[in-house]
Amino acid sequence: MNRNYLFLTLIMLVLAVGLLFFHAQNKPKQVPPDKLLWDIIQPTRYVSTDNVAKWIIEKDPSIELIDVRGADEYKAFSLPNAINVPLDSLITTSGSEYFGIPGVRVVLFANDDILSDQAWVLLRRLGFKDNYVMKGGLNRWFETIIKPQKPPESDPKTAFELYEFRKGASLYFTGAKVSTSSKVSKAKVVFKRRKKVTVASGGC
Amino acid sequence: MDLITLKNIKMGPLIPNGIITGDWNFVIAILVGIAFGFILEASGFSSSRNIVGTFYGYNFVVLRVFFTAVIVAMVGLLYFGYFGWINLSQIFILPAFWPSMLLGGVIMGFGFLMGGFCPGTSFTAISIGKIDGLVFTAGLYLGIFMFSESFPLFKDFYNSGNLGHVTLTDVTGISASWFAFAFVIIALTAFWITMLIEKKVRKKITEYKF
């Protein structure tokens, strides 16, 4: 019997055994489609801007704010203590270290819901849990927290309580003084920033 | 913004991903064809005795060559896919029409055994000047002509039982690498067992020439 045959047989055997090993690594851990769909339609995956504002004010340590917009937009404006993980760097190893930390709730936000929803689905498919999307994104943030609208007189009491909270939060985030009349100039600065963000969001 | 920048990664298949143009199709076909013919001839497939020997049990070179080709391609593709050199989901998979394929396989097996060639090896036989290869090829073209002319009769059967572009992984649920592993083990076992069978059978054959 030819010794070459034995040699080739062994090579082939080693290669075949190798297949089994790398398969275990290479198989992407993915959530099954039906489960993913179920998770996507759950309204509990959204958090309101009011909740986020509350957590920031209370300095809740279990909250991790992730800004999924590009680095330029992040530099221009972002929420306090937010981490910038652009959507296209989510799947790289450098981006994924912020996710899947036990006991930490990740809140994703962008100018609106689109980018953060995409990021949410990506993260869910990668198997990370406890991710939330800030409903309405930074646009809603400006509408509700920074520049809250006074509810009409006919609204229930809870609407006014919410308005009071938002006014307080607005003062917290804009750094304005309590006096209502003198903070007009501050509010103008904020308004300019909002414009910038909306322009960028139109391009998405 | 690109969600995933896979577009920038250069990987096979070469033509669908635009790494080389479709004009290369025929060049590659000719090169692969030459290589295929060379391997067939070099493995001794131009000899009918080698080919039908599998049936009579004195020569399993056909089984060994084709199994080698299959397991090398199988394992190689899986490794290429793992290293990101080729996108396995872009590879064309022939649709499976199981009843017609089953019957076609039986007919081809009989043809193989009676004629002593398969379509490919009949051409390599001609290239080394074998008259039986020439006759076989004439019959092959006659068969193609007859089949084409009578195709409307078989049309329904020909197109029946379409399973689509399925792989064994789709049908059985066994993952590709486990399947490849099992297949390699079966093939390697077959190689050694057939060598033993050949030894035994050839002892009884007094006259043996390829």
Side-chain angles (χ1 to χ4, degrees):
Chain A
M1 237 165 253
N2 199 328
R3 187 177 280 181
N4 282 343
Y5 286 162
L6 199 67
F7 183 62
L8 289 172
T9 307
L10 281 176
I11 287 185
M12 207 58 227
L13 205 62
V14 168
L15 283 173
V17 171
L19 278 180
L20 302 180
F21 281 103
F22 74 56
H23 181 72
Q25 288 177 1
N26 195 31
K27 196 180 180 184
K29 272 188 282 176
Q30 281 215 14
V31 176
D34 48 341
K35 189 159 186 339
L36 181 70
L37 190 64
W38 174 254
D39 285 346
I40 284 176
I41 57 172
Q42 297 307 306
T44 49
R45 72 184 183 91
Y46 288 107
V47 291
S48 68
T49 48
D50 298 306
N51 278 336
V52 174
K54 195 162 159 260
W55 290 329
I56 295 175
I57 293 167
E58 289 173 352
K59 294 194 167 50
D60 190 330
S62 68
I63 298 299
E64 186 182 273
L65 297 169
I66 300 285
D67 188 343
V68 293
R69 301 172 304 163
D72 297 342
E73 288 176 279
Y74 172 76
K75 268 182 201 156
F77 175 79
S78 193
L79 295 181
N81 294 329
I83 302 162
N84 184 216
V85 182
L87 189 60
D88 49 3
S89 69
L90 260 186
I91 52 167
T92 63
T93 44
S94 64
S96 62
E97 63 197 11
Y98 296 113
F99 307 103
I101 306 164
V104 171
R105 282 175 293 175
V106 174
V107 177
L108 305 160
F109 66 92
N111 288 333
D112 46 30
D113 283 350
I114 298 171
L115 275 184
S116 37
D117 265 342
Q118 288 176 354
W120 188 91
V121 173
L122 262 179
L123 286 173
R124 191 71 199 89
R125 288 186 67 182
L126 287 167
F128 294 114
K129 284 176 182 171
D130 277 344
N131 304 311
Y132 301 88
V133 170
M134 187 167 89
K135 185 84 184 157
L138 286 174
N139 288 340
R140 181 75 59 83
W141 175 267
F142 277 93
E143 283 161 20
T144 55
I145 305 297
I146 305 296
K147 237 181 152 280
Q149 298 292 322
K150 198 177 179 189
E153 295 295 327
S154 55
D155 271 20
K157 195 183 165 200
T158 46
F160 281 93
E161 282 169 3
L162 186 64
Y163 174 62
E164 288 301 315
F165 167 74
R166 284 176 175 177
K167 246 170 54 180
S170 169
L171 295 180
Y172 178 86
F173 287 110
T174 56
K177 295 275 182 288
V178 186
S179 57
T180 45
S181 56
S182 64
K183 74 169 197 312
V184 178
S185 59
K186 288 264 179 189
K188 259 188 182 170
V189 175
V190 171
F191 191 69
K192 268 185 184 169
R193 283 175 179 170
R194 182 171 85 114
K195 261 190 171 171
K196 256 186 202 169
V197 171
T198 354
V199 168
S201 82
C204 277
Chain B
M1 189 192 292
D2 278 344
L3 190 62
I4 299 167
T5 48
L6 267 183
K7 279 179 221 159
N8 305 328
I9 300 168
K10 293 280 182 203
M11 69 192 311
L14 299 176
I15 292 172
N17 285 340
I19 293 165
I20 56 173
T21 62
D23 302 337
W24 281 92
N25 261 331
F26 290 107
V27 179
I28 294 171
I30 281 182
L31 292 177
V32 170
I34 290 171
F36 184 58
F38 175 77
I39 298 289
L40 284 181
E41 167 54 26
S43 316
F45 282 21
S46 303
S47 157
S48 312
R49 283 172 188 268
N50 269 344
I51 289 179
V52 296
T54 311
F55 183 75
Y56 295 114
Y58 62 79
N59 190 329
F60 288 94
V61 68
V62 177
L63 182 141
R64 284 200 291 268
V65 168
F66 274 106
F67 258 19
T68 306
V70 167
I71 61 176
V72 169
M74 203 178 202
V75 172
L77 272 179
L78 287 175
Y79 270 90
F80 270 44
Y82 178 69
F83 293 134
W85 296 341
I86 194 165
N87 185 358
L88 291 177
S89 61
Q90 280 182 311
I91 289 179
F92 175 72
I93 296 163
L94 216 59
F97 297 89
W98 70 269
S100 38
M101 278 184 172
L102 199 67
L103 184 71
V106 171
I107 294 174
M108 179 151 170
F110 271 109
F112 233 110
L113 188 58
M114 291 190 293
F117 293 112
C118 80
T121 57
S122 66
F123 289 108
T124 58
I126 293 176
S127 72
I128 61 166
K130 286 202 166 184
I131 294 177
D132 52 351
L134 200 64
V135 174
F136 185 96
T137 315
L140 190 147
Y141 281 118
L142 190 68
I144 292 173
F145 178 74
M146 279 162 59
F147 177 78
S148 310
E149 286 301 309
S150 56
F151 182 68
L153 296 174
F154 312 120
K155 199 178 168 187
D156 288 336
F157 179 73
Y158 186 85
N159 291 322
S160 66
N162 186 3
L163 299 177
H165 307 270
V166 290
T167 60
L168 282 162
T169 307
D170 299 333
V171 175
T172 58
I174 303 166
S175 77
S177 45
W178 272 101
F179 197 88
F181 174 73
F183 204 84
V184 167
I185 299 296
I186 291 169
L188 293 178
T189 317
F191 291 169
W192 290 96
I193 288 178
T194 52
M195 272 193 232
L196 293 178
I197 295 175
E198 276 177 1
K199 257 192 180 174
K200 270 196 173 174
V201 175
R202 280 184 197 182
K203 267 182 197 166
K204 294 172 193 163
I205 298 175
T206 46
E207 227 180 295
Y208 181 72
K209 269 188 205 168
F210 286 114

